[in-house]
Amino acid sequence: MSSAQVAGEALALTLTARQAADFELLANGGFAPLRGFIGSGDHRSVCEDMRLASGEIWSIPITLATDLECAVGDVVELSAPNGKALGRLTVSEIYDKDLELEAEQVYRTTDAEHPGVAAIREEGARCIAGPIEAIALPDHDEAFMRRYQTPEESRKAFADRGWTRIVAFQTRNPIHRAHEYLTKAALEISDGLYIHPLIGETKKGDIPADVRMRCYEVLMDNYYHPDHVMLGVNPGKMHYAGPREAVHHAIIRRNYGCTHFIVGRDHAGVGDYYGTYDAQRIFDDIDTAELGITPLFFEHTFWCNECEGMGSAKTCPHPAESHLFLSGTKVRELLSNGEKPPPEFSRDEVAQILIDAYKEESATDG
Amino acid sequence: MSSAQVAGEALALTLTARQAADFELLANGGFAPLRGFIGSGDHRSVCEDMRLASGEIWSIPITLATDLECAVGDVVELSAPNGKALGRLTVSEIYDKDLELEAEQVYRTTDAEHPGVAAIREEGARCIAGPIEAIALPDHDEAFMRRYQTPEESRKAFADRGWTRIVAFQTRNPIHRAHEYLTKAALEISDGLYIHPLIGETKKGDIPADVRMRCYEVLMDNYYHPDHVMLGVNPGKMHYAGPREAVHHAIIRRNYGCTHFIVGRDHAGVGDYYGTYDAQRIFDDIDTAELGITPLFFEHTFWCNECEGMGSAKTCPHPAESHLFLSGTKVRELLSNGEKPPPEFSRDEVAQILIDAYKEESATDG
């Protein structure tokens, strides 16, 4: 592309929901130090070295795939899927990214069944890069907006509360007792807990973000301490990139002002693409001082009848038959039949919300 | 003192139990980098700056107070209270330490009722300093020796297990549910937990170390996971120096190979000499990288009937009436009457050991 080309007239591009989620985190500071969609040099560097060309740790390429005809120097007006004007991008490069390199290096698989790989292939290789200028952020439902904070706002909220050790919890599921326990274990050694559910696009079958928000809210009202727990929302989308996405999730929470980040087993995984501990081991080779946030690694947790409490394979010595275990299938079956799992598995209030959601869903389906 | 003096004949000194505890940690590496009882320069520096004259962080002076007539260069043969030969000290300095400076700076009080201040005053100001050479360590009962490890041995044991994140728990009390919970919360984010009870001298009224060991052993057998929890013993004595002793306890556990150290409310405190969080706040001014171990700060923890689980003022939002609280007086009353506290307060097995110990004690008293 010629860099001498004169800036053209404004072009228009309506972003997909996934692209708008990237725009939002670029615009609100959640993707700092990125200030725009990355070019070919950064793309290759991120894929191969997990770093931007400038050297900073970055684990998932933030690219804008589009067929829009444009030239370097053009200004592209960007709008959300609902038509809301978001801002503009000044095209600095038009390139074909190496999709298979990204699949192999970032997703560790080229399997078309992998939802993240499928998504980038569907978007295509042709990308435009360039800095963005935001005039607005995408709209969200009121349920999300009442908890919405930009990184600047969450940092200020933490400072106002005098928190210096803040642990972030990424989630794309309702919080049952197991996750409540590990967030609280992490909070015991911190000043504050930032529950930061992802509300962008997830794969089919995942529980919708608005239902999940109701679950989080009821926990905030009944089981978390308001002086030590904040609920925000991460407008990002899921990539299901396992270890690379664990790093990605950590970087975002660093930008939101958190000092620690919970990484469970199979974090951001899907199917059998990643080893159980891959998303923890990837941090072995990362200097957490450079990363700017410290991961806290957790095992699966459960209620144990002999401990009469929550625990994990590390803290509970009792055999599996003492542990309350319900498969995801079993839990869905119970809830969709209007039955609550035991209170040691899920708070009654959370179970009720999920039962109601299943009822609404089947009423809609009907 | 004249440094030109010729080394005299061997002199003999029988250490008190408190001095033998210091000797043991000097000899086994628990007090590294110290290799002997400190002199006047280190004493003043530790009192005033919480550092050795060489600059290393050190919070409680390790001095040898004695009236023994000797001269610089003399070699003093040291023996344990039971007569066992332990090794020798080569006198490098004889000096009167500033007891009141130590009381004010280390103990933050000159009150004679403070057990640590009372102890150093009773020992007196005249000290001999010098490097020690150990030929043996003091004897301990079999109950302690089966768990005894030198810092070299514990480091090797951690390495053999592949642990890189090891959290240490200092205790001078039986472990009830509250402390079990916080050790397990800390373990959830670590590879291993090192329960490291202090078995040296404590104040009157504290539960004897051998009874406590039985409590720890029964928890090791029934409630801690053998692959993730080790029980050792710290031969040190208590100073009840609150914040300064929290740092001291952390340094010792660093030497034993631990990476994290649990600091609760009023750690190593006694009476009302220290603020609830003083022993946590003292770490605010310490570079944990320099210290070589990271403190983990905990609140008081308890069973909550609404949470149906353990929690703290940070993790449980419910009012005090939902919390199971038993005063120390109440617990002693229950146990001495042969009654078990609720299982949410203390494991049955632990309660039974304490009940039996109270029975034995009253039989002995009678």
Side-chain angles (χ1 to χ4, degrees), chain B residues 308-351:
Chain B
E308 292 188 316
M310 303 298 300
S312 73
K314 285 197 290 191
T315 55
C316 163
H318 305 119
E321 53 264 34
S322 303
H323 303 159
L324 176 61
F325 173 77
L326 296 177
S327 69
T329 308
K330 179 69 185 170
V331 174
R332 281 188 293 274
E333 184 190 309
L334 284 171
L335 295 169
S336 58
N337 290 336
E339 295 172 49
K340 286 180 180 165
E344 293 85 2
F345 181 87
S346 192
R347 298 294 184 189
D348 259 17
E349 298 89 336
V350 170

mmCIF file of all heavy atoms in Angstrom, chain B residues 308-351:
data_model
loop_
_atom_site.group_PDB
_atom_site.id
_atom_site.type_symbol
_atom_site.label_atom_id
_atom_site.label_comp_id
_atom_site.label_asym_id
_atom_site.label_seq_id
_atom_site.Cartn_x
_atom_site.Cartn_y
_atom_site.Cartn_z
ATOM 1 N N GLU B 308 -23.674 -20.820 55.329
ATOM 2 C CA GLU B 308 -23.439 -22.252 55.492
ATOM 3 C C GLU B 308 -22.014 -22.597 55.077
ATOM 4 O O GLU B 308 -21.759 -23.510 54.277
ATOM 5 C CB GLU B 308 -24.469 -23.078 54.720
ATOM 6 C CG GLU B 308 -25.850 -22.930 55.346
ATOM 7 C CD GLU B 308 -26.880 -23.857 54.760
ATOM 8 O OE1 GLU B 308 -26.910 -23.992 53.527
ATOM 9 O OE2 GLU B 308 -27.662 -24.440 55.537
ATOM 10 N N GLY B 309 -21.115 -21.851 55.630
ATOM 11 C CA GLY B 309 -19.707 -22.068 55.331
ATOM 12 C C GLY B 309 -18.865 -21.124 56.157
ATOM 13 O O GLY B 309 -19.385 -20.304 56.918
ATOM 14 N N MET B 310 -17.544 -21.268 55.985
ATOM 15 C CA MET B 310 -16.610 -20.406 56.691
ATOM 16 C C MET B 310 -16.464 -19.100 55.922
ATOM 17 O O MET B 310 -16.618 -19.057 54.703
ATOM 18 C CB MET B 310 -15.238 -21.078 56.799
ATOM 19 C CG MET B 310 -15.223 -22.446 57.475
ATOM 20 S SD MET B 310 -15.771 -22.436 59.201
ATOM 21 C CE MET B 310 -14.579 -21.313 59.935
ATOM 22 N N GLY B 311 -16.143 -18.053 56.636
ATOM 23 C CA GLY B 311 -15.924 -16.775 55.985
ATOM 24 C C GLY B 311 -15.282 -15.807 56.945
ATOM 25 O O GLY B 311 -14.863 -16.190 58.049
ATOM 26 N N SER B 312 -15.212 -14.567 56.508
ATOM 27 C CA SER B 312 -14.618 -13.513 57.317
ATOM 28 C C SER B 312 -15.439 -12.249 57.115
ATOM 29 O O SER B 312 -16.387 -12.231 56.319
ATOM 30 C CB SER B 312 -13.186 -13.246 56.870
ATOM 31 O OG SER B 312 -13.199 -12.560 55.621
ATOM 32 N N ALA B 313 -15.036 -11.194 57.791
ATOM 33 C CA ALA B 313 -15.727 -9.915 57.612
ATOM 34 C C ALA B 313 -15.599 -9.419 56.173
ATOM 35 O O ALA B 313 -16.367 -8.566 55.739
ATOM 36 C CB ALA B 313 -15.157 -8.876 58.578
ATOM 37 N N LYS B 314 -14.648 -9.959 55.417
ATOM 38 C CA LYS B 314 -14.521 -9.569 54.009
ATOM 39 C C LYS B 314 -15.421 -10.384 53.103
ATOM 40 O O LYS B 314 -15.920 -9.874 52.099
ATOM 41 C CB LYS B 314 -13.066 -9.742 53.543
ATOM 42 C CG LYS B 314 -12.134 -8.664 54.048
ATOM 43 C CD LYS B 314 -10.840 -8.621 53.261
ATOM 44 C CE LYS B 314 -9.984 -9.838 53.542
ATOM 45 N NZ LYS B 314 -8.625 -9.694 53.007
ATOM 46 N N THR B 315 -15.602 -11.643 53.441
ATOM 47 C CA THR B 315 -16.294 -12.524 52.492
ATOM 48 C C THR B 315 -17.726 -12.833 52.894
ATOM 49 O O THR B 315 -18.486 -13.347 52.074
ATOM 50 C CB THR B 315 -15.520 -13.845 52.306
ATOM 51 O OG1 THR B 315 -15.312 -14.446 53.588
ATOM 52 C CG2 THR B 315 -14.183 -13.593 51.633
ATOM 53 N N CYS B 316 -18.098 -12.541 54.119
ATOM 54 C CA CYS B 316 -19.469 -12.821 54.568
ATOM 55 C C CYS B 316 -20.179 -11.506 54.844
ATOM 56 O O CYS B 316 -19.689 -10.688 55.622
ATOM 57 C CB CYS B 316 -19.432 -13.686 55.829
ATOM 58 S SG CYS B 316 -20.999 -13.673 56.722
ATOM 59 N N PRO B 317 -21.346 -11.298 54.232
ATOM 60 C CA PRO B 317 -22.061 -10.035 54.431
ATOM 61 C C PRO B 317 -23.065 -10.081 55.583
ATOM 62 O O PRO B 317 -23.759 -9.088 55.820
ATOM 63 C CB PRO B 317 -22.796 -9.867 53.096
ATOM 64 C CG PRO B 317 -23.116 -11.268 52.685
ATOM 65 C CD PRO B 317 -21.970 -12.138 53.193
ATOM 66 N N HIS B 318 -23.151 -11.195 56.267
ATOM 67 C CA HIS B 318 -24.253 -11.357 57.230
ATOM 68 C C HIS B 318 -23.907 -10.786 58.599
ATOM 69 O O HIS B 318 -22.737 -10.633 58.938
ATOM 70 C CB HIS B 318 -24.624 -12.843 57.306
ATOM 71 C CG HIS B 318 -24.961 -13.408 55.962
ATOM 72 N ND1 HIS B 318 -24.261 -14.448 55.376
ATOM 73 C CD2 HIS B 318 -25.878 -13.018 55.048
ATOM 74 C CE1 HIS B 318 -24.759 -14.693 54.168
ATOM 75 N NE2 HIS B 318 -25.741 -13.837 53.941
ATOM 76 N N PRO B 319 -24.948 -10.499 59.392
ATOM 77 C CA PRO B 319 -24.711 -9.856 60.692
ATOM 78 C C PRO B 319 -24.082 -10.826 61.699
ATOM 79 O O PRO B 319 -24.124 -12.052 61.514
ATOM 80 C CB PRO B 319 -26.118 -9.443 61.132
ATOM 81 C CG PRO B 319 -27.043 -10.364 60.410
ATOM 82 C CD PRO B 319 -26.384 -10.697 59.110
ATOM 83 N N ALA B 320 -23.505 -10.239 62.752
ATOM 84 C CA ALA B 320 -22.762 -11.020 63.748
ATOM 85 C C ALA B 320 -23.600 -12.159 64.322
ATOM 86 O O ALA B 320 -23.063 -13.224 64.641
ATOM 87 C CB ALA B 320 -22.267 -10.100 64.860
ATOM 88 N N GLU B 321 -24.923 -11.946 64.440
ATOM 89 C CA GLU B 321 -25.736 -13.005 65.059
ATOM 90 C C GLU B 321 -25.815 -14.267 64.186
ATOM 91 O O GLU B 321 -26.201 -15.323 64.667
ATOM 92 C CB GLU B 321 -27.143 -12.497 65.424
ATOM 93 C CG GLU B 321 -27.903 -11.844 64.304
ATOM 94 C CD GLU B 321 -27.763 -10.321 64.312
ATOM 95 O OE1 GLU B 321 -26.667 -9.827 64.700
ATOM 96 O OE2 GLU B 321 -28.718 -9.633 63.916
ATOM 97 N N SER B 322 -25.434 -14.143 62.927
ATOM 98 C CA SER B 322 -25.384 -15.332 62.069
ATOM 99 C C SER B 322 -24.071 -16.097 62.232
ATOM 100 O O SER B 322 -23.921 -17.211 61.731
ATOM 101 C CB SER B 322 -25.511 -14.933 60.597
ATOM 102 O OG SER B 322 -26.704 -14.214 60.391
ATOM 103 N N HIS B 323 -23.119 -15.481 62.898
ATOM 104 C CA HIS B 323 -21.783 -16.084 63.005
ATOM 105 C C HIS B 323 -21.658 -16.887 64.290
ATOM 106 O O HIS B 323 -22.157 -16.484 65.340
ATOM 107 C CB HIS B 323 -20.707 -14.992 62.994
ATOM 108 C CG HIS B 323 -20.776 -14.117 61.787
ATOM 109 N ND1 HIS B 323 -20.218 -12.864 61.743
ATOM 110 C CD2 HIS B 323 -21.350 -14.313 60.577
ATOM 111 C CE1 HIS B 323 -20.446 -12.326 60.556
ATOM 112 N NE2 HIS B 323 -21.135 -13.192 59.834
ATOM 113 N N LEU B 324 -20.982 -18.010 64.179
ATOM 114 C CA LEU B 324 -20.691 -18.816 65.360
ATOM 115 C C LEU B 324 -19.470 -18.215 66.048
ATOM 116 O O LEU B 324 -18.357 -18.257 65.516
ATOM 117 C CB LEU B 324 -20.409 -20.266 64.938
ATOM 118 C CG LEU B 324 -19.989 -21.207 66.062
ATOM 119 C CD1 LEU B 324 -21.082 -21.321 67.118
ATOM 120 C CD2 LEU B 324 -19.652 -22.580 65.497
ATOM 121 N N PHE B 325 -19.695 -17.635 67.217
ATOM 122 C CA PHE B 325 -18.584 -17.046 67.960
ATOM 123 C C PHE B 325 -18.532 -17.636 69.360
ATOM 124 O O PHE B 325 -19.542 -17.667 70.066
ATOM 125 C CB PHE B 325 -18.717 -15.525 68.048
ATOM 126 C CG PHE B 325 -17.680 -14.913 68.948
ATOM 127 C CD1 PHE B 325 -16.367 -14.758 68.503
ATOM 128 C CD2 PHE B 325 -17.991 -14.538 70.255
ATOM 129 C CE1 PHE B 325 -15.395 -14.224 69.341
ATOM 130 C CE2 PHE B 325 -17.019 -14.004 71.096
ATOM 131 C CZ PHE B 325 -15.716 -13.842 70.634
ATOM 132 N N LEU B 326 -17.388 -18.136 69.727
ATOM 133 C CA LEU B 326 -17.182 -18.613 71.093
ATOM 134 C C LEU B 326 -15.925 -17.934 71.625
ATOM 135 O O LEU B 326 -14.878 -17.970 70.965
ATOM 136 C CB LEU B 326 -16.976 -20.129 71.115
ATOM 137 C CG LEU B 326 -18.130 -21.016 70.655
ATOM 138 C CD1 LEU B 326 -17.718 -22.485 70.685
ATOM 139 C CD2 LEU B 326 -19.361 -20.808 71.531
ATOM 140 N N SER B 327 -16.025 -17.321 72.770
ATOM 141 C CA SER B 327 -14.838 -16.693 73.364
ATOM 142 C C SER B 327 -13.876 -17.777 73.828
ATOM 143 O O SER B 327 -14.269 -18.936 74.039
ATOM 144 C CB SER B 327 -15.241 -15.836 74.560
ATOM 145 O OG SER B 327 -15.686 -16.669 75.612
ATOM 146 N N GLY B 328 -12.609 -17.399 73.970
ATOM 147 C CA GLY B 328 -11.615 -18.338 74.489
ATOM 148 C C GLY B 328 -12.047 -18.885 75.841
ATOM 149 O O GLY B 328 -11.905 -20.089 76.118
ATOM 150 N N THR B 329 -12.611 -18.015 76.677
ATOM 151 C CA THR B 329 -13.080 -18.430 78.008
ATOM 152 C C THR B 329 -14.172 -19.492 77.879
ATOM 153 O O THR B 329 -14.163 -20.511 78.576
ATOM 154 C CB THR B 329 -13.653 -17.209 78.767
ATOM 155 O OG1 THR B 329 -12.680 -16.159 78.727
ATOM 156 C CG2 THR B 329 -13.992 -17.564 80.198
ATOM 157 N N LYS B 330 -15.100 -19.248 76.963
ATOM 158 C CA LYS B 330 -16.204 -20.188 76.768
ATOM 159 C C LYS B 330 -15.685 -21.541 76.275
ATOM 160 O O LYS B 330 -16.134 -22.597 76.738
ATOM 161 C CB LYS B 330 -17.195 -19.595 75.745
ATOM 162 C CG LYS B 330 -18.381 -20.492 75.430
ATOM 163 C CD LYS B 330 -19.329 -20.614 76.610
ATOM 164 C CE LYS B 330 -20.446 -21.612 76.336
ATOM 165 N NZ LYS B 330 -21.219 -21.903 77.565
ATOM 166 N N VAL B 331 -14.750 -21.501 75.336
ATOM 167 C CA VAL B 331 -14.206 -22.753 74.796
ATOM 168 C C VAL B 331 -13.506 -23.535 75.898
ATOM 169 O O VAL B 331 -13.708 -24.752 76.046
ATOM 170 C CB VAL B 331 -13.225 -22.468 73.630
ATOM 171 C CG1 VAL B 331 -12.555 -23.749 73.163
ATOM 172 C CG2 VAL B 331 -13.962 -21.811 72.471
ATOM 173 N N ARG B 332 -12.692 -22.846 76.699
ATOM 174 C CA ARG B 332 -12.005 -23.525 77.809
ATOM 175 C C ARG B 332 -13.014 -24.121 78.786
ATOM 176 O O ARG B 332 -12.832 -25.238 79.272
ATOM 177 C CB ARG B 332 -11.074 -22.540 78.527
ATOM 178 C CG ARG B 332 -9.755 -22.309 77.798
ATOM 179 C CD ARG B 332 -8.772 -21.489 78.638
ATOM 180 N NE ARG B 332 -9.241 -20.119 78.840
ATOM 181 C CZ ARG B 332 -9.015 -19.109 77.983
ATOM 182 N NH1 ARG B 332 -8.334 -19.336 76.867
ATOM 183 N NH2 ARG B 332 -9.460 -17.898 78.228
ATOM 184 N N GLU B 333 -14.099 -23.376 79.034
ATOM 185 C CA GLU B 333 -15.122 -23.859 79.962
ATOM 186 C C GLU B 333 -15.772 -25.135 79.430
ATOM 187 O O GLU B 333 -15.900 -26.132 80.147
ATOM 188 C CB GLU B 333 -16.177 -22.756 80.135
ATOM 189 C CG GLU B 333 -17.262 -23.056 81.151
ATOM 190 C CD GLU B 333 -18.380 -22.008 81.064
ATOM 191 O OE1 GLU B 333 -18.066 -20.796 81.091
ATOM 192 O OE2 GLU B 333 -19.560 -22.405 80.931
ATOM 193 N N LEU B 334 -16.136 -25.100 78.144
ATOM 194 C CA LEU B 334 -16.740 -26.283 77.528
ATOM 195 C C LEU B 334 -15.793 -27.474 77.629
ATOM 196 O O LEU B 334 -16.162 -28.545 78.119
ATOM 197 C CB LEU B 334 -17.050 -26.018 76.050
ATOM 198 C CG LEU B 334 -18.265 -25.162 75.704
ATOM 199 C CD1 LEU B 334 -18.279 -24.832 74.213
ATOM 200 C CD2 LEU B 334 -19.563 -25.897 76.094
ATOM 201 N N LEU B 335 -14.578 -27.282 77.166
ATOM 202 C CA LEU B 335 -13.632 -28.395 77.080
ATOM 203 C C LEU B 335 -13.305 -28.945 78.467
ATOM 204 O O LEU B 335 -13.229 -30.167 78.652
ATOM 205 C CB LEU B 335 -12.349 -27.941 76.378
ATOM 206 C CG LEU B 335 -12.500 -27.545 74.900
ATOM 207 C CD1 LEU B 335 -11.227 -26.872 74.395
ATOM 208 C CD2 LEU B 335 -12.846 -28.753 74.027
ATOM 209 N N SER B 336 -13.141 -28.055 79.435
ATOM 210 C CA SER B 336 -12.766 -28.540 80.772
ATOM 211 C C SER B 336 -13.943 -29.244 81.439
ATOM 212 O O SER B 336 -13.756 -30.031 82.355
ATOM 213 C CB SER B 336 -12.232 -27.396 81.629
ATOM 214 O OG SER B 336 -13.197 -26.373 81.733
ATOM 215 N N ASN B 337 -15.171 -28.979 80.945
ATOM 216 C CA ASN B 337 -16.329 -29.740 81.413
ATOM 217 C C ASN B 337 -16.560 -30.999 80.587
ATOM 218 O O ASN B 337 -17.576 -31.673 80.743
ATOM 219 C CB ASN B 337 -17.600 -28.878 81.353
ATOM 220 C CG ASN B 337 -17.585 -27.785 82.395
ATOM 221 O OD1 ASN B 337 -16.898 -27.900 83.417
ATOM 222 N ND2 ASN B 337 -18.323 -26.713 82.132
ATOM 223 N N GLY B 338 -15.634 -31.282 79.666
ATOM 224 C CA GLY B 338 -15.780 -32.472 78.835
ATOM 225 C C GLY B 338 -16.787 -32.304 77.721
ATOM 226 O O GLY B 338 -17.234 -33.286 77.131
ATOM 227 N N GLU B 339 -17.154 -31.071 77.418
ATOM 228 C CA GLU B 339 -18.137 -30.829 76.350
ATOM 229 C C GLU B 339 -17.447 -30.339 75.089
ATOM 230 O O GLU B 339 -16.556 -29.491 75.145
ATOM 231 C CB GLU B 339 -19.151 -29.775 76.798
ATOM 232 C CG GLU B 339 -20.031 -30.202 77.960
ATOM 233 C CD GLU B 339 -20.862 -29.032 78.476
ATOM 234 O OE1 GLU B 339 -21.492 -28.345 77.647
ATOM 235 O OE2 GLU B 339 -20.835 -28.797 79.697
ATOM 236 N N LYS B 340 -17.916 -30.854 73.956
ATOM 237 C CA LYS B 340 -17.337 -30.430 72.680
ATOM 238 C C LYS B 340 -18.014 -29.156 72.177
ATOM 239 O O LYS B 340 -19.243 -29.060 72.214
ATOM 240 C CB LYS B 340 -17.508 -31.524 71.636
ATOM 241 C CG LYS B 340 -16.570 -32.702 71.851
ATOM 242 C CD LYS B 340 -16.769 -33.760 70.783
ATOM 243 C CE LYS B 340 -15.826 -34.924 71.036
ATOM 244 N NZ LYS B 340 -16.201 -36.122 70.280
ATOM 245 N N PRO B 341 -17.235 -28.212 71.684
ATOM 246 C CA PRO B 341 -17.851 -27.088 70.971
ATOM 247 C C PRO B 341 -18.527 -27.619 69.701
ATOM 248 O O PRO B 341 -18.260 -28.758 69.284
ATOM 249 C CB PRO B 341 -16.671 -26.180 70.625
ATOM 250 C CG PRO B 341 -15.485 -26.725 71.356
ATOM 251 C CD PRO B 341 -15.775 -28.154 71.651
ATOM 252 N N PRO B 342 -19.386 -26.838 69.070
ATOM 253 C CA PRO B 342 -20.038 -27.314 67.840
ATOM 254 C C PRO B 342 -18.995 -27.684 66.780
ATOM 255 O O PRO B 342 -17.909 -27.101 66.764
ATOM 256 C CB PRO B 342 -20.855 -26.110 67.369
ATOM 257 C CG PRO B 342 -20.893 -25.157 68.504
ATOM 258 C CD PRO B 342 -19.751 -25.461 69.403
ATOM 259 N N PRO B 343 -19.335 -28.650 65.916
ATOM 260 C CA PRO B 343 -18.371 -29.067 64.886
ATOM 261 C C PRO B 343 -18.020 -27.947 63.912
ATOM 262 O O PRO B 343 -16.985 -28.003 63.255
ATOM 263 C CB PRO B 343 -19.086 -30.218 64.163
ATOM 264 C CG PRO B 343 -20.528 -30.090 64.527
ATOM 265 C CD PRO B 343 -20.586 -29.437 65.862
ATOM 266 N N GLU B 344 -18.866 -26.927 63.829
ATOM 267 C CA GLU B 344 -18.525 -25.777 62.985
ATOM 268 C C GLU B 344 -17.440 -24.920 63.626
ATOM 269 O O GLU B 344 -16.851 -24.070 62.972
ATOM 270 C CB GLU B 344 -19.770 -24.914 62.715
ATOM 271 C CG GLU B 344 -20.832 -25.589 61.867
ATOM 272 C CD GLU B 344 -21.777 -26.456 62.700
ATOM 273 O OE1 GLU B 344 -21.618 -26.504 63.950
ATOM 274 O OE2 GLU B 344 -22.676 -27.096 62.108
ATOM 275 N N PHE B 345 -17.206 -25.143 64.913
ATOM 276 C CA PHE B 345 -16.136 -24.398 65.589
ATOM 277 C C PHE B 345 -14.842 -25.200 65.635
ATOM 278 O O PHE B 345 -13.759 -24.681 65.401
ATOM 279 C CB PHE B 345 -16.540 -24.027 67.013
ATOM 280 C CG PHE B 345 -15.484 -23.228 67.737
ATOM 281 C CD1 PHE B 345 -15.437 -21.852 67.616
ATOM 282 C CD2 PHE B 345 -14.496 -23.862 68.498
ATOM 283 C CE1 PHE B 345 -14.441 -21.110 68.247
ATOM 284 C CE2 PHE B 345 -13.496 -23.129 69.128
ATOM 285 C CZ PHE B 345 -13.469 -21.756 69.001
ATOM 286 N N SER B 346 -14.979 -26.488 65.956
ATOM 287 C CA SER B 346 -13.787 -27.312 66.128
ATOM 288 C C SER B 346 -14.099 -28.726 65.655
ATOM 289 O O SER B 346 -15.180 -29.248 65.925
ATOM 290 C CB SER B 346 -13.388 -27.335 67.608
ATOM 291 O OG SER B 346 -12.110 -27.886 67.765
ATOM 292 N N ARG B 347 -13.169 -29.338 64.955
ATOM 293 C CA ARG B 347 -13.351 -30.729 64.556
ATOM 294 C C ARG B 347 -13.496 -31.586 65.812
ATOM 295 O O ARG B 347 -12.764 -31.391 66.784
ATOM 296 C CB ARG B 347 -12.134 -31.207 63.751
ATOM 297 C CG ARG B 347 -11.902 -30.446 62.458
ATOM 298 C CD ARG B 347 -13.008 -30.678 61.456
ATOM 299 N NE ARG B 347 -12.739 -30.026 60.172
ATOM 300 C CZ ARG B 347 -13.631 -29.946 59.197
ATOM 301 N NH1 ARG B 347 -14.852 -30.456 59.337
ATOM 302 N NH2 ARG B 347 -13.323 -29.344 58.058
ATOM 303 N N ASP B 348 -14.399 -32.541 65.753
ATOM 304 C CA ASP B 348 -14.623 -33.445 66.882
ATOM 305 C C ASP B 348 -13.332 -34.055 67.407
ATOM 306 O O ASP B 348 -13.114 -34.148 68.617
ATOM 307 C CB ASP B 348 -15.548 -34.586 66.425
ATOM 308 C CG ASP B 348 -16.981 -34.356 66.884
ATOM 309 O OD1 ASP B 348 -17.304 -33.205 67.242
ATOM 310 O OD2 ASP B 348 -17.748 -35.333 66.891
ATOM 311 N N GLU B 349 -12.491 -34.476 66.477
ATOM 312 C CA GLU B 349 -11.251 -35.155 66.861
ATOM 313 C C GLU B 349 -10.347 -34.220 67.656
ATOM 314 O O GLU B 349 -9.659 -34.644 68.587
ATOM 315 C CB GLU B 349 -10.510 -35.652 65.613
ATOM 316 C CG GLU B 349 -11.272 -36.687 64.777
ATOM 317 C CD GLU B 349 -12.170 -36.069 63.699
ATOM 318 O OE1 GLU B 349 -12.586 -34.883 63.841
ATOM 319 O OE2 GLU B 349 -12.454 -36.777 62.713
ATOM 320 N N VAL B 350 -10.319 -32.952 67.251
ATOM 321 C CA VAL B 350 -9.491 -31.959 67.948
ATOM 322 C C VAL B 350 -10.087 -31.677 69.330
ATOM 323 O O VAL B 350 -9.378 -31.640 70.340
ATOM 324 C CB VAL B 350 -9.384 -30.659 67.118
ATOM 325 C CG1 VAL B 350 -8.735 -29.543 67.935
ATOM 326 C CG2 VAL B 350 -8.613 -30.920 65.832
ATOM 327 N N ALA B 351 -11.403 -31.516 69.365
ATOM 328 C CA ALA B 351 -12.075 -31.240 70.637
ATOM 329 C C ALA B 351 -11.809 -32.373 71.632
ATOM 330 O O ALA B 351 -11.558 -32.138 72.821
ATOM 331 C CB ALA B 351 -13.573 -31.051 70.411
#
